[in-house]
Amino acid sequence: MSRRTHHHAQQGRAGSSRHDGGPRAGLKALGLRSPGLTPSRPASSGLTRRSLLSAGIFAPAAALLSSCGDTGRTPADTLRVMDSYSNDPDYGIIGEALQQAADTVGVKLQRVAVSGQSLIQRVLQQGSSGTLPDILMLDNPDLQQIAATTALRSFDELGIPTAGYHDGVLDAGTYDGQVYGVVPTVNTIALFCRTAMFEDAGLDYPRTWEELRRCATDLTQGTRYGIAFCGNATYEGTWQFLPFFWSNGGDERHIGTPEAAEALGLLSDLVQEGSASSSVLNWGQADVKDQFVAGRAAMMINGPWQLPELSGLEDLDYEIVELPVRDSAQRSVAPLGGEAWTVPATGDRDKEELAAAVLTEFLSDSSVLSMAEQRFTVPGRPGLTAEFLRRRPEMDTFTDLIPDARARTAQLGEDWPTTASALYTAVQLAVSGQATPAEALHRAEEYV
Amino acid sequence: MSITSVHEATTAPTAPGQRGEGHAAPRVSARASAWRHRLVTALFIGPAVLYMLLFFGYPVVQNVIMGFQHYTITTFFTGEAPWAGWSNYTEVLTSPLFRTAAANTVIFTVGSILGQFLCGLGLALFFRRRFPLSGALRSLILLPWLIPLIVASAVWKWLLDTDAGALNRVLIGSGLVESGIPWLSSTGLALFTVIMVNIWIGIPFNAVILHGGLQTIPQELYEAGSIDGTSRWQAFRHITWPMLRPVVSVVLVLGVVYTLKVLDIILGLTEGGPANATQTLATQAYQLSFATFDFGQGAAVSNILILISLLFAAVYLRLNRRPVDE
């Protein structure tokens, strides 16, 4: 597989110094020893040597094979869980919620948290070796692709309640008419504004693109840019472009429309006019947050997962508002983010039932509210919004956005990744000034 | 053949009792010893062959096959990979990205190799002289090599940031430039910058091997040269360079093979951006396989890359063999 070749590339580079000294040293050693070795050994010791040798070769292989078989087997009352909340505080919060659900059902959990980037690769490995966990977390845009492989059990068959969720949540979790996973708490992106900087400049928070451009220009001073956003060549760049694209009537099934070009024009203008650094082409969302915190950007586009860190900073006052729209009559359409929980088809009916029971508890009102409150994410069910806002009033902008938030895979399902790459390619082409927005979208469409 | 005769000579005396029992016996023992010799040979070669087949042969063959299949996420779960013929290759080769990636790969490889080699050679020549702390300094050159590539690229990304990066701060502070240079965010500069970082990483490899090569040149040649009154340049041109040639070709060929498949540095610095300005065949293969999950097309691109590397590997083997033949 290509990944293996690349890995090899890295090792080859590091190992080449050894390689260079190797042959000569090795030859010398052989040349010194070989004359004395071959002739004078009696046959019997040759036999021993042979058997020793073969034992040496096969013993590790045998050990490897036998140990492989064992890892897939866990006791009947233990469920295996895999997710990508590998860092605290998320690791602990999710772990606690899972544990509570498991205690209620009366099972034990064996949880593995891997990094977000390697989750899909792990899922693929486990899928091909038949060792998928009993409960699996997936990023919501990946869910339909995995569901399309028949690797997941339908929630309706398992009896996990799927009523009362936001439309976007169900869109993300549905493949071919069946719900295969739901997102307990969701997120999206909005505009973060430094209060003091706006007051100094005597500006109101922007609600239209025109106002956004003016604010960004006025707030650009010295080493400070008006706005920071993420326009890099990954799905994060796509994710940050989507609210402008969708709010202006863009359609991911045909990206080369005038509406899409207008949205892209906004981002490229911000950079070309100098209100945003051209480094947005390389920044991830964490880099954007760093710029904002360091005062090198008066506004940023980012999500509530930054709040735990931002709220811990003393003299950082900011306001979160909805992302501006072109025409004030338009509604801001936000992309839906968040991680879905699923039950893989492991073939073990009893464990699938147990997993369904645990997930039902995990998705209960109190469990979802507690996770939402601690992780600054919005409950996936509108019925919980009022109680959530009572606990987290500062999240009101996000709770306003979620009812209209759109799932990335709602239209294209498992074909989304190709369009997602085309969209970030368009962003890169336009923002770097390689092409006009319309041209950029047209050229990117060729990739689809 | 010569080893076999040694075998016969040594094994025959160890069985003196057999000699009188008929003249067929020696031939049997000869055959047995030949067979045993073949077995011993097989046992010596066996592990290496097994290892090669398992860890090199199998993945390469799999990758070649995968290039002809519609290999997607579903394949991992169902095991079904429909035969795709050459369609992966035609799709990849006709995609607008391929030409950019191929051109970038050539520029990246040639640029990196030139820079690495010249700097490495310069440093190797410099460190041939002995001076205080030369040993310590020589080991310091290895530093870039000791840092994990992904860490190195993360640090470089910081240093090269347009607005807050240390490099631009220094340049602005010293009055050399007015505003920050967009090292990684300009489509015109990004490839150059990535090449520079890759040169920095590759210098130790070149310097160390070339330095090793320089050590093998006998000092007498230079002494003889100095008696004849050669200048320093003449000494390099007529003694050092010809004597170093075999090492140079090995360094260059290995360098090409390593550089062709560089992936982590580019992913760490630019993710192939801005606007595909630093997209190479290696990053394209990675993104096809692990971002869009089209493993078939990803395999097709990496097969093309393997083929190019193999060409250079063949060159390397030829170059390596010649000294033995002579």
Side-chain angles (χ1 to χ4, degrees), chain B residues 2-76:
Chain B
S2 61
I3 299 177
T4 327
S5 57
V6 171
H7 250 276
E8 276 174 53
T10 46
T11 45
T14 54
Q18 287 178 358
R19 194 165 275 189
E21 285 164 22
H23 47 257
R27 203 181 290 165
V28 169
S29 89
R31 205 178 295 160
S33 80
W35 187 82
R36 195 163 62 210
H37 166 70
R38 232 172 281 149
L39 190 79
V40 169
T41 320
L43 277 175
F44 270 106
I45 300 173
V49 170
L50 202 73
Y51 176 82
M52 293 284 288
L53 285 179
L54 208 63
F55 292 101
F56 292 92
Y58 177 73
V60 168
V61 169
Q62 273 293 322
N63 209 51
V64 170
I65 295 172
M66 204 186 269
F68 291 109
Q69 291 173 327
H70 282 300
Y71 205 106
T72 58
I73 284 196
T74 311
T75 311
F76 283 87

Side-chain angles (χ1 to χ4, degrees), chain B residues 38-240:
Chain B
R38 232 172 281 149
L39 190 79
V40 169
T41 320
L43 277 175
F44 270 106
I45 300 173
V49 170
L50 202 73
Y51 176 82
M52 293 284 288
L53 285 179
L54 208 63
F55 292 101
F56 292 92
Y58 177 73
V60 168
V61 169
Q62 273 293 322
N63 209 51
V64 170
I65 295 172
M66 204 186 269
F68 291 109
Q69 291 173 327
H70 282 300
Y71 205 106
T72 58
I73 284 196
T74 311
T75 311
F76 283 87
F77 296 91
T78 60
E80 287 163 21
W83 192 253
W86 290 96
S87 75
N88 283 333
Y89 286 90
T90 47
E91 287 235 0
V92 160
L93 289 169
T94 54
S95 113
L97 195 55
F98 184 80
R99 213 184 288 169
T100 319
N104 284 344
T105 308
V106 171
I107 299 171
F108 179 77
T109 308
V110 172
S112 297
I113 294 296
L114 266 181
Q116 289 173 358
F117 179 75
L118 291 180
C119 294
L121 182 63
L123 282 168
L125 288 169
F126 178 68
F127 278 110
R128 194 156 50 140
R129 313 186 196 172
R130 301 219 157 272
F131 52 88
L133 284 181
S134 67
L137 284 174
R138 210 172 64 216
S139 43
L140 276 182
I141 303 185
L142 283 175
L143 263 182
W145 224 352
L146 305 179
I147 303 170
L149 288 182
I150 210 73
V151 176
S153 55
V155 172
W156 274 107
K157 194 178 166 184
W158 271 53
L159 293 174
L160 295 167
D161 186 87
T162 311
D163 309 299
L167 180 60
N168 278 340
R169 294 265 135 210
V170 170
L171 290 177
I172 295 170
S174 60
L176 283 171
V177 293
E178 298 244 317
S179 60
I181 298 169
W183 295 110
L184 292 170
S185 49
S186 141
T187 45
L189 261 181
L191 187 58
F192 168 80
T193 312
V194 172
I195 291 173
M196 285 299 138
V197 174
N198 193 45
I199 288 176
W200 174 80
I201 288 165
I203 284 175
F205 171 73
N206 285 263
V208 166
I209 294 191
L210 290 173
H211 187 262
L214 287 176
Q215 300 289 313
T216 62
I217 302 175
Q219 200 55 41
E220 292 81 27
L221 293 177
Y222 293 102
E223 283 160 13
S226 73
I227 292 168
D228 290 341
T230 54
S231 69
R232 199 173 279 174
W233 166 248
Q234 282 172 322
F236 176 80
R237 173 76 188 75
H238 296 288
I239 303 172
T240 313

